[in-house]
Amino acid sequence: MTEIAFAGLPILTAPGRVMTPRDASEQLVAAACAWVGSGPARICDVGTGSGAIAIAIARECPEAVVWATDTSRCAVALARANVRRHGLEGRVIVEHGDLLDPVPGELDVIVANLPYLPLELALRRPELAAEPPEAVFAAGDGLGPYRRLLGAAPSGSRLTAVFCFSSTGGCSRLSAPPSRPPSRRARRPRPRGRAPRAGA
Ligand SMILES: C[S@@+](CC[C@H](N)C(=O)[O-])C[C@H]1O[C@@H](n2cnc3c(N)ncnc32)[C@H](O)[C@@H]1O
């Protein structure tokens, strides 16, 4: 095991067995934290790897509860070790399983850095050769995991945003049913002197 800094936090890594977090993934942390603010929120980091994103969000958003899922048992063990190191066992729950399957109840925000590169690119991306292939590459056009994630995200629920890391090297918000983050929604004042409309 080695240690790196991610979002200014020490994170244990397992090179070759679990994807080592990249600085660019800090964009996901920044986007989710800006969206959530300081209020309560239920968040899931899908494909958590070392747990770096989940831990950084939990540190930045003191009222958030963060679920972290991964299909790799190695990643789950590493993420749990990192969560323990940061004393966040009460607010970051790491579970083994597919996408959102292990998460009970509703979510406000999903963040995901899932595999998104087509398998056929494997030989043309030598900088990724040291990473576990199943963490980086997926069949077909590579976007199957993200398509399945969007299909799995419950529609009509309180989910407000899905932030994903994309092949353009940036972070994108893929969906946002209501346009307000949960903490701001909770604080929105009613207009004075007017009763709320029925059904509003
Ligand atoms: C690109 S790595 C990113 C790891 C971490 N989020 C980061 O940014 O450092 C993708 C991770 O997603 C996991 N993964 C792949 N398919 C998954 C699925 N269907 N459900 C949950 N995790 C999955 C892989 O095991 C791997 O740990």
Side-chain angles (χ1 to χ4, degrees):
M1 274 205 221
T2 55
E3 190 182 285
I4 58 144
F6 178 83
L9 302 170
I11 296 289
L12 290 174
T13 61
R17 287 184 292 142
V18 178
M19 171 98 176
T20 299
R22 305 296 203 261
D23 289 348
S25 298
E26 292 174 7
Q27 293 174 50
L28 278 179
V29 176
C33 293
W35 188 259
V36 165
S38 55
R42 283 170 56 92
I43 302 171
C44 184
D45 171 22
V46 183
T48 196
S50 64
I53 292 172
I55 289 167
I57 291 174
R59 289 287 297 256
E60 191 71 27
C61 302
E63 296 288 316
V65 173
V66 187
W67 293 83
T69 69
D70 208 293
T71 44
S72 152
R73 291 202 181 271
C74 239
V76 168
L78 180 65
R80 284 181 179 157
N82 275 314
V83 167
R84 270 195 306 276
R85 267 188 115 201
H86 285 274
L88 286 168
E89 296 99 317
R91 284 199 301 121
V92 181
I93 302 113
V94 184
E95 294 290 358
H96 177 259
D98 185 46
L99 302 176
L100 300 173
D101 280 358
V103 184
E106 296 224 31
L107 290 167
D108 297 296
V109 173
I110 294 171
V111 295
N113 179 15
L114 283 164
Y116 58 76
L117 293 174
L119 206 47
E120 64 186 34
L121 284 188
L123 292 177
R124 281 190 266 153
R125 299 293 294 262
E127 77 279 14
L128 295 172
E131 303 296 351
E134 65 281 6
V136 186
F137 301 103
D141 68 358
L143 293 173
Y146 278 139
R147 283 193 200 98
R148 284 205 306 115
L149 173 62
L150 288 180
S155 60
S157 69
R158 66 191 227 188
L159 182 72
T160 59
V162 181
F163 294 104
C164 292
F165 201 71
S166 76
S167 52
T168 55
C171 163
S172 317
R173 178 156 56 81
L174 290 189
S175 73
S179 60
R180 243 172 244 100
S183 50
R184 281 186 227 155
R185 232 187 317 151
R187 274 191 254 119
R188 182 164 56 130
R190 282 236 171 85
R192 285 184 193 197
R194 253 201 258 153
R197 275 186 301 141

